[in-house]
Protein backbone atom coordinates (compact mmCIF):
# COMPACT_ATOMS: atom_id res chain seq x y z
CA UNK A 1 0.00 0.00 0.00
CA UNK A 2 1.51 3.37 -1.02
CA UNK A 3 2.00 6.30 1.30
CA UNK A 4 -0.35 8.36 -0.86
CA UNK A 5 -3.24 5.93 -0.36
CA UNK A 6 -3.05 6.37 3.42
CA UNK A 7 -3.91 10.08 3.24
CA UNK A 8 -7.33 11.04 4.59
CA UNK A 9 -9.75 13.26 2.69
CA UNK A 10 -10.83 16.59 4.25
CA UNK A 11 -14.22 15.08 5.08
CA UNK A 12 -12.57 12.12 6.87
CA UNK A 13 -10.38 14.50 8.87
CA UNK A 14 -13.47 16.55 9.82
CA UNK A 15 -15.30 13.46 11.02
CA UNK A 16 -12.27 12.31 13.04
CA UNK A 17 -11.88 15.71 14.69
CA UNK A 18 -15.60 15.92 15.48
CA UNK A 19 -15.53 12.46 17.09
CA UNK A 20 -12.51 13.40 19.21
CA UNK A 21 -14.14 16.66 20.38
CA UNK A 22 -17.37 14.82 21.19
CA UNK A 23 -15.50 12.22 23.25
CA UNK A 24 -13.72 14.90 25.29
CA UNK A 25 -16.96 16.78 25.91
CA UNK A 26 -18.69 13.66 27.18
CA UNK A 27 -15.93 12.66 29.57
CA UNK A 28 -16.46 13.06 33.31
CA UNK A 29 -14.44 12.24 36.39
CA UNK A 30 -17.04 10.74 38.70
CA UNK A 31 -19.16 7.62 38.92
CA UNK A 32 -22.68 8.50 37.89
CA UNK A 33 -26.26 7.30 37.56
CA UNK A 34 -27.31 8.44 34.06
CA UNK A 35 -30.83 9.77 33.52
CA UNK A 36 -31.95 8.72 30.03
CA UNK A 37 -35.12 9.92 28.26
CA UNK A 38 -38.03 7.84 29.51
CA UNK A 39 -36.09 6.87 32.65
CA UNK A 40 -36.22 7.81 36.34
CA UNK A 41 -33.67 7.84 39.16
CA UNK A 42 -35.41 7.05 42.44
CA UNK A 43 -34.72 7.77 46.07
CA UNK A 44 -32.72 5.01 47.83
CA UNK A 45 -34.97 2.53 49.59
CA UNK A 46 -37.33 2.55 46.62
CA UNK A 47 -37.03 0.40 43.48
CA UNK A 48 -33.73 0.83 41.58
CA UNK A 49 -32.16 2.77 39.95
CA UNK A 50 -31.32 5.08 42.85
CA UNK A 51 -30.16 8.64 42.48
CA UNK A 52 -27.13 9.93 44.33
CA UNK A 53 -28.21 10.72 47.89
CA UNK A 54 -27.69 12.66 50.12
CA UNK A 55 -24.75 14.07 48.14
CA UNK A 56 -24.90 17.48 46.54
CA UNK A 57 -23.76 18.58 43.10
CA UNK A 58 -20.48 16.78 42.18
CA UNK A 59 -17.40 18.67 43.38
CA UNK A 60 -15.87 18.99 39.90
CA UNK A 61 -18.57 21.57 39.08
CA UNK A 62 -16.60 24.19 40.95
CA UNK A 63 -17.22 27.33 38.88
CA UNK A 64 -20.36 29.34 39.68
CA UNK A 65 -21.82 30.36 36.30
CA UNK A 66 -25.06 31.73 37.83
CA UNK A 67 -25.60 32.02 41.60
CA UNK A 68 -28.90 30.92 43.17
CA UNK A 69 -31.61 33.01 41.47
CA UNK A 70 -35.24 33.33 42.64
CA UNK A 71 -38.22 33.81 40.30
CA UNK A 72 -41.75 34.17 41.81
CA UNK A 73 -44.54 31.73 40.91
CA UNK A 74 -47.45 32.71 38.68
CA UNK A 75 -50.80 30.98 39.22
CA UNK A 76 -52.22 28.98 42.12
CA UNK A 77 -49.13 28.73 44.31
CA UNK A 78 -47.27 31.41 46.24
CA UNK A 79 -43.49 31.23 46.52
CA UNK A 80 -40.56 31.15 44.13
CA UNK A 81 -38.43 28.78 42.10
CA UNK A 82 -34.69 28.96 42.80
CA UNK A 83 -32.03 27.77 40.36
CA UNK A 84 -28.27 27.91 39.95
CA UNK A 85 -25.77 26.95 37.24
CA UNK A 86 -22.34 25.46 37.97
CA UNK A 87 -19.58 24.65 35.49
CA UNK A 88 -16.85 22.01 35.33
CA UNK A 89 -13.71 24.06 34.48
CA UNK A 90 -12.05 21.10 32.76
CA UNK A 91 -14.85 20.10 30.38
CA UNK A 92 -17.15 23.13 30.30
CA UNK A 93 -20.07 20.85 31.25
CA UNK A 94 -22.89 22.43 33.26
CA UNK A 95 -24.82 21.26 36.31
CA UNK A 96 -28.19 22.76 37.23
CA UNK A 97 -29.55 23.00 40.78
CA UNK A 98 -33.19 23.69 41.75
CA UNK A 99 -35.12 24.42 44.93
CA UNK A 100 -38.87 25.04 45.36
CA UNK A 101 -41.03 26.24 48.25
CA UNK A 102 -44.76 26.59 48.93
CA UNK A 103 -45.87 29.71 50.78
CA UNK A 104 -49.51 29.84 49.62
CA UNK A 105 -52.02 31.27 52.13
CA UNK A 106 -54.54 28.73 50.78
CA UNK A 107 -54.06 25.09 51.78
CA UNK A 108 -52.63 23.20 48.79
CA UNK A 109 -49.52 21.21 48.00
CA UNK A 110 -46.91 20.89 45.25
CA UNK A 111 -46.38 17.26 44.30
CA UNK A 112 -44.56 17.63 40.98
CA UNK A 113 -42.37 20.14 39.13
CA UNK A 114 -41.61 19.82 35.41
CA UNK A 115 -38.84 21.78 33.68
CA UNK A 116 -39.40 22.38 29.95
CA UNK A 117 -40.57 25.01 27.48
CA UNK A 118 -41.77 25.05 23.83
CA UNK A 119 -38.17 24.73 22.56
CA UNK A 120 -37.64 21.52 24.61
CA UNK A 121 -34.17 22.56 25.83
CA UNK A 122 -33.24 19.13 27.24
CA UNK A 123 -33.41 17.42 23.84
CA UNK A 124 -30.06 15.83 23.01
CA UNK A 125 -28.57 16.68 26.43
CA UNK A 126 -26.85 13.88 28.35
CA UNK A 127 -27.56 13.78 32.10
CA UNK A 128 -24.72 11.89 33.77
CA UNK A 129 -26.05 12.05 37.32
CA UNK A 130 -28.94 13.49 39.31
CA UNK A 131 -29.98 13.72 42.93
CA UNK A 132 -30.91 15.85 45.91
CA UNK A 133 -29.16 16.82 49.13
CA UNK A 134 -31.84 16.16 51.81
CA UNK A 135 -31.65 19.80 52.93
CA UNK A 136 -35.36 20.66 52.72
CA UNK A 137 -38.37 20.46 55.00
CA UNK A 138 -41.49 18.75 53.63
CA UNK A 139 -44.56 16.82 54.78
CA UNK A 140 -44.45 12.99 54.70
CA UNK A 141 -46.96 11.12 52.54
CA UNK A 142 -47.77 7.62 53.74
CA UNK A 143 -44.60 6.13 55.22
CA UNK A 144 -42.62 8.89 53.56
CA UNK A 145 -39.88 11.34 54.50
CA UNK A 146 -39.64 14.99 55.54
CA UNK A 147 -36.27 16.10 54.06
CA UNK A 148 -37.69 17.67 50.87
CA UNK A 149 -36.15 15.09 48.54
CA UNK A 150 -38.44 13.91 45.71
CA UNK A 151 -39.65 10.37 45.18
CA UNK A 152 -37.88 10.37 41.82
CA UNK A 153 -36.20 12.54 39.21
CA UNK A 154 -37.41 11.57 35.76
CA UNK A 155 -37.21 12.45 32.06
CA UNK A 156 -39.98 12.53 29.51
CA UNK A 157 -39.52 9.91 26.81
CA UNK A 158 -40.49 12.24 23.92
CA UNK A 159 -39.19 15.72 24.75
CA UNK A 160 -36.54 14.69 27.35
CA UNK A 161 -37.87 17.27 29.82
CA UNK A 162 -36.82 16.86 33.46
CA UNK A 163 -39.31 16.51 36.32
CA UNK A 164 -39.20 15.86 40.06
CA UNK A 165 -42.08 13.80 41.46
CA UNK A 166 -42.45 14.22 45.23
CA UNK A 167 -45.12 11.59 45.92
CA UNK A 168 -46.20 8.49 44.06
CA UNK A 169 -48.99 5.99 44.85
CA UNK A 170 -49.46 7.31 48.38
CA UNK A 171 -45.77 7.27 49.28
CA UNK A 172 -43.11 9.96 49.47
CA UNK A 173 -43.42 13.57 50.52
CA UNK A 174 -45.20 16.79 49.59
CA UNK A 175 -44.57 20.54 49.64
CA UNK A 176 -47.53 21.78 51.68
CA UNK A 177 -48.37 25.45 52.14
CA UNK A 178 -49.68 25.40 55.74
CA UNK A 179 -46.26 24.06 56.76
CA UNK A 180 -44.33 26.55 54.59
CA UNK A 181 -42.43 23.61 53.05
CA UNK A 182 -39.22 23.89 51.00
CA UNK A 183 -37.72 21.20 48.79
CA UNK A 184 -34.18 19.90 49.03
CA UNK A 185 -31.70 21.09 46.42
CA UNK A 186 -32.49 18.98 43.33
CA UNK A 187 -29.74 18.82 40.72
CA UNK A 188 -28.72 17.32 37.39
CA UNK A 189 -25.17 17.08 35.98
CA UNK A 190 -25.10 17.39 32.19
CA UNK A 191 -22.92 17.79 29.10
CA UNK A 192 -24.68 21.06 28.19
CA UNK A 193 -22.33 23.98 27.53
CA UNK A 194 -24.85 26.84 27.33
CA UNK A 195 -27.76 27.90 29.52
CA UNK A 196 -30.83 30.15 29.53
CA UNK A 197 -34.02 30.67 31.52
CA UNK A 198 -36.72 28.13 30.77
CA UNK A 199 -40.24 27.36 32.04
CA UNK A 200 -41.09 25.24 35.07
CA UNK A 201 -44.60 23.94 35.83
CA UNK A 202 -45.78 23.23 39.38
CA UNK A 203 -48.57 20.68 39.71
CA UNK A 204 -50.91 19.14 42.28
CA UNK A 205 -53.38 17.15 40.21
CA UNK A 206 -55.77 20.07 39.75
CA UNK A 207 -54.13 23.36 40.85
CA UNK A 208 -51.08 24.50 38.93
CA UNK A 209 -48.56 27.30 38.59
CA UNK A 210 -45.53 28.33 36.58
CA UNK A 211 -42.19 30.02 37.06
CA UNK A 212 -38.79 30.14 35.38
CA UNK A 213 -35.47 28.43 36.15
CA UNK A 214 -32.16 27.97 34.35
CA UNK A 215 -31.76 25.03 31.97
CA UNK A 216 -29.76 24.02 28.89
CA UNK A 217 -29.81 26.18 25.77
CA UNK A 218 -30.14 24.12 22.61
CA UNK A 219 -27.69 25.37 19.93
CA UNK A 220 -29.43 27.05 17.00
CA UNK A 221 -29.22 25.29 13.61
CA UNK A 222 -26.99 28.12 12.37
CA UNK A 223 -24.55 27.53 15.24
CA UNK A 224 -24.41 23.82 14.49
CA UNK A 225 -23.78 24.51 10.81
CA UNK A 226 -20.96 26.92 11.63
CA UNK A 227 -19.40 24.32 13.92
CA UNK A 228 -19.42 21.73 11.13
CA UNK A 229 -17.96 24.24 8.66
CA UNK A 230 -15.26 25.10 11.19
CA UNK A 231 -14.30 21.43 11.60
CA UNK A 232 -14.14 20.91 7.83
CA UNK A 233 -12.14 24.10 7.33
CA UNK A 234 -9.70 23.16 10.08
CA UNK A 235 -9.22 19.72 8.52
CA UNK A 236 -8.49 21.23 5.09
CA UNK A 237 -5.94 23.69 6.51
CA UNK A 238 -4.26 20.90 8.47
CA UNK A 239 -4.02 18.74 5.34
CA UNK A 240 -2.57 21.60 3.27
CA UNK A 241 0.08 22.36 5.89
CA UNK A 242 1.01 18.69 6.01
CA UNK A 243 1.35 18.54 2.22
CA UNK A 244 3.50 21.71 2.23
CA UNK A 245 5.82 20.30 4.88
Amino acid sequence: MSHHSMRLSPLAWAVAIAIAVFAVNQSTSWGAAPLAPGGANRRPGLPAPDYTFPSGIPANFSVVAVPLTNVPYVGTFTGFASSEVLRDPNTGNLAFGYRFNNLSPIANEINRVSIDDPSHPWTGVNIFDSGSDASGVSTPVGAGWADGSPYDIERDGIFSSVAAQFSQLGLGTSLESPNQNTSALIWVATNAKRFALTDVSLLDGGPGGTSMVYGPLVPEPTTLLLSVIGCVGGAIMFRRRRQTN
Side-chain angles (χ1 to χ4, degrees), residues 209-235:
T210 61
S211 186
M212 300 194 78
V213 295
Y214 283 98
L217 178 62
V218 177
E220 299 176 358
T222 303
T223 303
L224 291 174
L225 178 61
L226 290 174
S227 298
V228 172
I229 292 174
C231 284
V232 173

Side-chain angles (χ1 to χ4, degrees), residues 63-67 69 83-87 92-96 98 121-122 190 192-198 213-219:
V63 177
V64 178
V66 179
T69 303
S83 62
E84 63 182 322
V85 185
L86 301 174
R87 190 187 306 275
N93 292 338
L94 299 176
F96 301 90
Y98 306 104
W122 299 95
T190 78
K193 300 295 191 295
R194 304 169 68 211
F195 59 87
L197 284 171
T198 188
V213 295
Y214 283 98
L217 178 62
V218 177

Side-chain angles (χ1 to χ4, degrees), residues 33 41-44 49-53 129-132 145 149-153:
N41 290 337
R42 297 184 173 90
R43 190 181 192 275
D50 294 343
Y51 58 65
T52 303
F53 177 92
D129 203 359
S130 63
S132 65
W145 48 90
S149 297
Y151 179 99
D152 66 20
I153 302 168

